[in-house]
Amino acid sequence: MNKGLIALACGTFALGIAEFTMMGVLGDVSAGLDISVSKAGHLISAYALGVCAGAPSLLWLRGFPLRRLLLLLVSFIVLGNALAALSQGFVMLLCARFISGLPHGAYFGAAAIVAQKLVPPGKGASAVAAMIAGMTVANLLGVPAATFISNLISWRYAFAIVAVSGLLTWVLVRAWVPRLAPLPATNFKAQFRFLKDRAPWLIFLGTFFGQGSVYCWFSYVEPAMTGITGFSPASMTWVMMLAGLGMVVGNYVNGRLSDRYKAGKVAALTAASIIVILPLIFFCAQWKAASLLLMFLATAALFGIGGPLQYLIVRFAKGGEMLGGACIQIAFNVSNAIASFLGGAAIHLGFGLESPALVGIPLAVTATVILFSFTRRYNA
């Protein structure tokens, strides 16, 4: 693999641990800071708010040489997580989590552009998939490892691991990503001009509904797997690693397919597969082998949608490519929050721990219609 792509993937690896490990150490943070679990949950929201707040920064940073921009964003990854590891109280940790989220969307936006510049024409989709692969590997290996170490020693080590990963990324980007000229200069207003077209909105909505459909169920996969399927809490480590493997495979396969076929059609067909997978998850929830297979397919579809759409937004956001790439991450994070709420509401109303899978079906149908409409209209 291109060394520059490896450097970019190291950055998404660090961001993946930063975003998802918080769920695994929430109880430890709550006990360590002597706060309620519900209050500790605000630390997850703080990161998501940072993602949304950091994306617009690209409006002012478009004129930066691309490698320098990446180094600046990675510096914020290191700073935010180092502060989190050293936090002396809830307020400091809350601020550190917000800072940690600031570079998330901006990094994906800039890295998607750099990835396509590092490979020959016709390989852009797989290059973006390679960049995103760092996050899938984080879910497969990084998050379980960071959670295990944090539970064994201290929750602070989770953030320290991210900070060290960020430092490694900084070194690799400096060494392996070539000097690249800034994107063509456009004024502030011109960077929003792409939003006048329908294509980017269809991409954002495809991301929102497609990935939200899976997250309605995936947000509650642990209680469903232990409470209905019958897995022990101790076995959830390898169960979640299997889910992470699904993300790796889905991202890789759809990245390669998007280079051979239309990326929009690949994403649309993946969304359509979710319409089949989710009801099967609901009806097969009591069978272990079926539940594991369906979980693997669902998480593969989750990241199988995201990669092609991250690639497409660069094509359909001329003049605002980095902003468009960052907005994909905003759509993803907002979708996760709303999907988690919808799935939780179904459980709260007494429909059972398997019911969030059914809640996701209308979202998957909506995503499928949107993405097929996109690929038919724009032949992409």
Side-chain angles (χ1 to χ4, degrees):
M1 183 188 293
N2 184 299
K3 287 184 177 181
L5 294 178
I6 294 174
L8 298 178
C10 283
T12 59
F13 176 81
L15 291 171
I17 300 176
E19 182 172 17
F20 294 109
T21 298
M22 191 70 235
M23 291 76 161
V25 300
L26 206 61
D28 293 335
V29 172
S30 171
L33 296 180
D34 194 24
I35 57 176
S36 67
V37 171
S38 60
K39 186 174 182 179
H42 296 324
L43 298 168
I44 298 174
S45 301
Y47 188 93
L49 287 173
V51 175
C52 296
S57 67
L58 291 175
L59 294 168
W60 290 275
L61 298 175
R62 182 182 173 89
F64 269 53
L66 289 168
R67 187 178 72 165
R68 187 185 304 174
L69 174 58
L70 288 173
L71 292 172
L72 174 64
L73 294 171
V74 173
S75 297
F76 272 92
I77 297 174
V78 177
L79 173 64
N81 286 282
L83 288 174
L86 299 172
S87 293
Q88 298 303 305
F90 173 73
V91 174
M92 183 177 176
L93 182 54
L94 192 72
C95 294
R97 285 289 291 168
F98 179 80
I99 294 170
S100 300
L102 289 174
H104 185 111
Y107 182 88
F108 272 89
I113 295 169
V114 172
Q116 294 181 60
K117 289 180 176 292
L118 295 178
V119 296
K123 299 293 183 181
S126 55
V128 172
M131 178 270 291
I132 294 175
M135 178 165 278
T136 65
V137 174
N139 280 281
L140 174 63
L141 299 174
V143 172
T147 302
F148 175 78
I149 293 171
S150 299
N151 292 339
L152 190 67
I153 307 174
S154 168
W155 57 267
R156 298 180 185 278
Y157 281 81
F159 303 112
I161 288 170
V162 180
V164 172
S165 299
L167 280 173
L168 175 62
T169 302
W170 197 96
V171 171
L172 294 183
V173 168
R174 176 78 183 229
W176 289 349
V177 174
R179 294 180 183 273
L180 297 169
L183 294 175
T186 55
N187 60 39
F188 189 88
K189 185 178 179 180
Q191 293 185 60
F192 289 97
R193 193 168 293 145
F194 75 95
L195 294 174
K196 293 181 179 180
D197 297 327
R198 183 179 299 181
W201 291 105
L202 292 175
I203 293 171
F204 296 149
L205 289 171
T207 301
F208 179 89
F209 286 105
Q211 301 198 302
S213 66
V214 177
Y215 261 97
C216 284
W217 157 78
F218 192 57
S219 299
Y220 302 95
V221 65
E222 191 274 338
M225 285 289 192
T226 55
I228 298 176
T229 312
F231 287 102
S232 67
S235 66
M236 284 307 297
T237 297
W238 68 261
V239 170
M240 294 308 293
M241 289 181 71
L242 180 63
L245 180 61
M247 297 176 188
V248 172
V249 172
N251 176 66
Y252 174 79
V253 170
N254 275 16
R256 298 297 295 267
L257 288 175
S258 294
D259 278 337
R260 292 189 62 183
Y261 306 103
K262 296 173 184 176
K265 185 172 287 187
V266 171
L269 289 170
T270 303
S273 74
I274 297 172
I275 301 173
V276 178
I277 294 169
L278 289 177
L280 288 175
I281 287 175
F282 177 82
F283 289 112
C284 298
Q286 295 181 344
W287 291 290
K288 289 184 178 180
S291 292
L292 290 175
L293 174 61
L294 291 166
M295 179 190 67
F296 177 89
L297 294 175
T299 55
L302 175 67
F303 272 80
I305 288 178
L309 296 182
Q310 187 87 49
Y311 160 71
L312 283 170
I313 195 62
V314 177
R315 286 179 52 192
F316 287 92
K318 297 302 181 185
E321 295 90 348
M322 286 193 293
L323 181 61
C327 285
I328 285 278
Q329 295 302 310
I330 293 177
F332 180 62
N333 278 269
V334 173
S335 172
N336 292 353
I338 294 176
S340 178
F341 171 79
L342 293 174
I347 295 172
H348 181 72
L349 291 172
F351 292 106
L353 291 171
E354 69 272 46
S355 63
L358 296 183
V359 176
I361 295 173
L363 277 67
V365 171
T366 305
T368 302
V369 172
I370 289 170
L371 291 172
F372 272 116
S373 173
F374 167 83
T375 192
R376 188 178 300 114
R377 182 182 180 90
Y378 296 99
N379 194 32

Short mmCIF file of all heavy atoms in Angstrom, two decimals, residues 144-171:
data_model
loop_
_atom_site.label_atom_id
_atom_site.label_comp_id
_atom_site.label_asym_id
_atom_site.label_seq_id
_atom_site.Cartn_x
_atom_site.Cartn_y
_atom_site.Cartn_z
N PRO A 144 -11.08 -2.28 21.54
CA PRO A 144 -11.02 -3.33 22.57
C PRO A 144 -9.74 -3.28 23.40
O PRO A 144 -9.77 -3.46 24.62
CB PRO A 144 -11.10 -4.63 21.76
CG PRO A 144 -11.79 -4.25 20.50
CD PRO A 144 -11.32 -2.86 20.19
N ALA A 145 -8.59 -3.02 22.74
CA ALA A 145 -7.32 -2.98 23.47
C ALA A 145 -7.29 -1.80 24.43
O ALA A 145 -6.89 -1.94 25.60
CB ALA A 145 -6.16 -2.89 22.48
N ALA A 146 -7.71 -0.62 23.96
CA ALA A 146 -7.72 0.56 24.82
C ALA A 146 -8.68 0.39 25.98
O ALA A 146 -8.39 0.79 27.12
CB ALA A 146 -8.09 1.80 23.99
N THR A 147 -9.84 -0.22 25.72
CA THR A 147 -10.81 -0.46 26.80
C THR A 147 -10.25 -1.43 27.82
O THR A 147 -10.39 -1.22 29.03
CB THR A 147 -12.12 -1.02 26.20
OG1 THR A 147 -12.64 -0.09 25.25
CG2 THR A 147 -13.16 -1.24 27.29
N PHE A 148 -9.61 -2.51 27.34
CA PHE A 148 -9.04 -3.51 28.25
C PHE A 148 -7.97 -2.89 29.14
O PHE A 148 -7.98 -3.07 30.37
CB PHE A 148 -8.44 -4.66 27.44
CG PHE A 148 -7.72 -5.68 28.28
CD1 PHE A 148 -8.44 -6.63 29.00
CD2 PHE A 148 -6.34 -5.69 28.35
CE1 PHE A 148 -7.77 -7.56 29.79
CE2 PHE A 148 -5.67 -6.63 29.13
CZ PHE A 148 -6.40 -7.57 29.85
N ILE A 149 -7.06 -2.14 28.53
CA ILE A 149 -5.99 -1.51 29.31
C ILE A 149 -6.56 -0.50 30.31
O ILE A 149 -6.12 -0.42 31.47
CB ILE A 149 -4.97 -0.83 28.37
CG1 ILE A 149 -4.24 -1.89 27.54
CG2 ILE A 149 -3.97 0.02 29.14
CD1 ILE A 149 -3.37 -1.32 26.43
N SER A 150 -7.54 0.25 29.88
CA SER A 150 -8.14 1.26 30.75
C SER A 150 -8.87 0.62 31.92
O SER A 150 -8.77 1.09 33.06
CB SER A 150 -9.11 2.13 29.95
OG SER A 150 -8.43 2.80 28.92
N ASN A 151 -9.60 -0.47 31.65
CA ASN A 151 -10.29 -1.16 32.74
C ASN A 151 -9.31 -1.82 33.70
O ASN A 151 -9.59 -1.93 34.90
CB ASN A 151 -11.25 -2.22 32.16
CG ASN A 151 -12.41 -1.61 31.41
OD1 ASN A 151 -12.76 -0.45 31.61
ND2 ASN A 151 -13.03 -2.38 30.53
N LEU A 152 -8.17 -2.23 33.18
CA LEU A 152 -7.17 -2.92 34.00
C LEU A 152 -6.38 -1.94 34.85
O LEU A 152 -6.05 -2.23 36.02
CB LEU A 152 -6.22 -3.70 33.09
CG LEU A 152 -5.25 -4.67 33.76
CD1 LEU A 152 -6.01 -5.82 34.39
CD2 LEU A 152 -4.25 -5.20 32.73
N ILE A 153 -6.07 -0.76 34.30
CA ILE A 153 -5.20 0.20 35.00
C ILE A 153 -5.95 1.48 35.35
O ILE A 153 -6.22 1.76 36.51
CB ILE A 153 -3.94 0.52 34.16
CG1 ILE A 153 -3.22 -0.77 33.74
CG2 ILE A 153 -2.99 1.43 34.94
CD1 ILE A 153 -2.07 -0.55 32.78
N SER A 154 -6.30 2.27 34.33
CA SER A 154 -6.98 3.55 34.55
C SER A 154 -7.61 4.01 33.24
O SER A 154 -7.05 3.78 32.16
CB SER A 154 -6.01 4.61 35.05
OG SER A 154 -6.59 5.90 35.00
N TRP A 155 -8.76 4.70 33.34
CA TRP A 155 -9.43 5.23 32.15
C TRP A 155 -8.55 6.25 31.42
O TRP A 155 -8.72 6.48 30.22
CB TRP A 155 -10.76 5.86 32.52
CG TRP A 155 -10.68 6.97 33.54
CD1 TRP A 155 -10.82 6.85 34.89
CD2 TRP A 155 -10.44 8.36 33.29
NE1 TRP A 155 -10.68 8.07 35.51
CE2 TRP A 155 -10.45 9.02 34.55
CE3 TRP A 155 -10.21 9.12 32.14
CZ2 TRP A 155 -10.25 10.40 34.67
CZ3 TRP A 155 -10.02 10.49 32.26
CH2 TRP A 155 -10.03 11.11 33.51
N ARG A 156 -7.61 6.85 32.12
CA ARG A 156 -6.75 7.86 31.50
C ARG A 156 -5.90 7.28 30.36
O ARG A 156 -5.52 7.99 29.43
CB ARG A 156 -5.84 8.50 32.55
CG ARG A 156 -6.61 9.24 33.65
CD ARG A 156 -5.68 9.86 34.67
NE ARG A 156 -6.43 10.46 35.75
CZ ARG A 156 -6.97 11.68 35.71
NH1 ARG A 156 -6.80 12.43 34.64
NH2 ARG A 156 -7.66 12.15 36.73
N TYR A 157 -5.61 5.98 30.45
CA TYR A 157 -4.77 5.36 29.43
C TYR A 157 -5.45 5.32 28.07
O TYR A 157 -4.77 5.28 27.04
CB TYR A 157 -4.36 3.95 29.87
CG TYR A 157 -3.22 3.95 30.87
CD1 TYR A 157 -3.46 4.20 32.22
CD2 TYR A 157 -1.91 3.76 30.45
CE1 TYR A 157 -2.42 4.22 33.14
CE2 TYR A 157 -0.86 3.77 31.35
CZ TYR A 157 -1.13 4.01 32.70
OH TYR A 157 -0.09 4.05 33.60
N ALA A 158 -6.79 5.29 28.05
CA ALA A 158 -7.50 5.30 26.77
C ALA A 158 -7.14 6.55 25.97
O ALA A 158 -6.85 6.50 24.77
CB ALA A 158 -9.01 5.24 27.00
N PHE A 159 -7.13 7.70 26.65
CA PHE A 159 -6.83 8.96 25.99
C PHE A 159 -5.34 9.09 25.72
O PHE A 159 -4.93 9.68 24.72
CB PHE A 159 -7.34 10.13 26.84
CG PHE A 159 -8.81 10.04 27.13
CD1 PHE A 159 -9.26 9.80 28.42
CD2 PHE A 159 -9.74 10.16 26.12
CE1 PHE A 159 -10.61 9.69 28.69
CE2 PHE A 159 -11.10 10.06 26.38
CZ PHE A 159 -11.54 9.83 27.66
N ALA A 160 -4.53 8.52 26.60
CA ALA A 160 -3.08 8.55 26.38
C ALA A 160 -2.73 7.75 25.11
O ALA A 160 -1.86 8.15 24.33
CB ALA A 160 -2.36 7.97 27.59
N ILE A 161 -3.42 6.62 24.90
CA ILE A 161 -3.18 5.81 23.71
C ILE A 161 -3.51 6.60 22.45
O ILE A 161 -2.78 6.55 21.44
CB ILE A 161 -4.01 4.51 23.77
CG1 ILE A 161 -3.43 3.58 24.84
CG2 ILE A 161 -4.05 3.81 22.41
CD1 ILE A 161 -4.31 2.39 25.17
N VAL A 162 -4.60 7.37 22.49
CA VAL A 162 -4.96 8.18 21.33
C VAL A 162 -3.91 9.26 21.09
O VAL A 162 -3.52 9.53 19.95
CB VAL A 162 -6.35 8.83 21.52
CG1 VAL A 162 -6.71 9.68 20.30
CG2 VAL A 162 -7.41 7.78 21.75
N ALA A 163 -3.44 9.89 22.16
CA ALA A 163 -2.43 10.94 22.02
C ALA A 163 -1.15 10.38 21.40
O ALA A 163 -0.56 11.00 20.51
CB ALA A 163 -2.13 11.56 23.39
N VAL A 164 -0.73 9.20 21.84
CA VAL A 164 0.47 8.56 21.27
C VAL A 164 0.23 8.19 19.80
O VAL A 164 1.11 8.38 18.95
CB VAL A 164 0.86 7.31 22.09
CG1 VAL A 164 1.97 6.54 21.39
CG2 VAL A 164 1.31 7.72 23.49
N SER A 165 -0.97 7.68 19.50
CA SER A 165 -1.30 7.36 18.10
C SER A 165 -1.27 8.62 17.24
O SER A 165 -0.84 8.60 16.09
CB SER A 165 -2.69 6.71 18.02
OG SER A 165 -2.73 5.50 18.74
N GLY A 166 -1.72 9.74 17.82
CA GLY A 166 -1.68 11.01 17.12
C GLY A 166 -0.26 11.46 16.85
O GLY A 166 0.05 11.96 15.75
N LEU A 167 0.62 11.28 17.83
CA LEU A 167 2.03 11.64 17.63
C LEU A 167 2.65 10.80 16.51
O LEU A 167 3.40 11.32 15.66
CB LEU A 167 2.81 11.42 18.93
CG LEU A 167 2.69 12.51 19.99
CD1 LEU A 167 3.38 12.07 21.28
CD2 LEU A 167 3.31 13.82 19.48
N LEU A 168 2.34 9.51 16.50
CA LEU A 168 2.85 8.64 15.44
C LEU A 168 2.32 9.10 14.09
O LEU A 168 3.06 9.15 13.09
CB LEU A 168 2.43 7.20 15.71
CG LEU A 168 2.80 6.17 14.61
CD1 LEU A 168 4.31 6.10 14.43
CD2 LEU A 168 2.23 4.80 14.95
N THR A 169 1.04 9.47 14.04
CA THR A 169 0.45 9.96 12.80
C THR A 169 1.17 11.21 12.31
O THR A 169 1.46 11.36 11.12
CB THR A 169 -1.05 10.27 12.99
OG1 THR A 169 -1.72 9.09 13.43
CG2 THR A 169 -1.68 10.77 11.69
N TRP A 170 1.46 12.12 13.23
CA TRP A 170 2.15 13.38 12.87
C TRP A 170 3.49 13.06 12.21
O TRP A 170 3.84 13.64 11.18
CB TRP A 170 2.34 14.22 14.12
CG TRP A 170 2.66 15.67 13.85
CD1 TRP A 170 1.79 16.71 13.82
CD2 TRP A 170 3.96 16.22 13.57
NE1 TRP A 170 2.45 17.88 13.53
CE2 TRP A 170 3.78 17.61 13.37
CE3 TRP A 170 5.24 15.69 13.47
CZ2 TRP A 170 4.83 18.47 13.09
CZ3 TRP A 170 6.30 16.53 13.18
CH2 TRP A 170 6.09 17.91 12.99
N VAL A 171 4.22 12.13 12.81
CA VAL A 171 5.53 11.76 12.27
C VAL A 171 5.39 11.13 10.88
O VAL A 171 6.15 11.46 9.95
CB VAL A 171 6.25 10.79 13.23
CG1 VAL A 171 7.52 10.23 12.58
CG2 VAL A 171 6.58 11.48 14.55
#
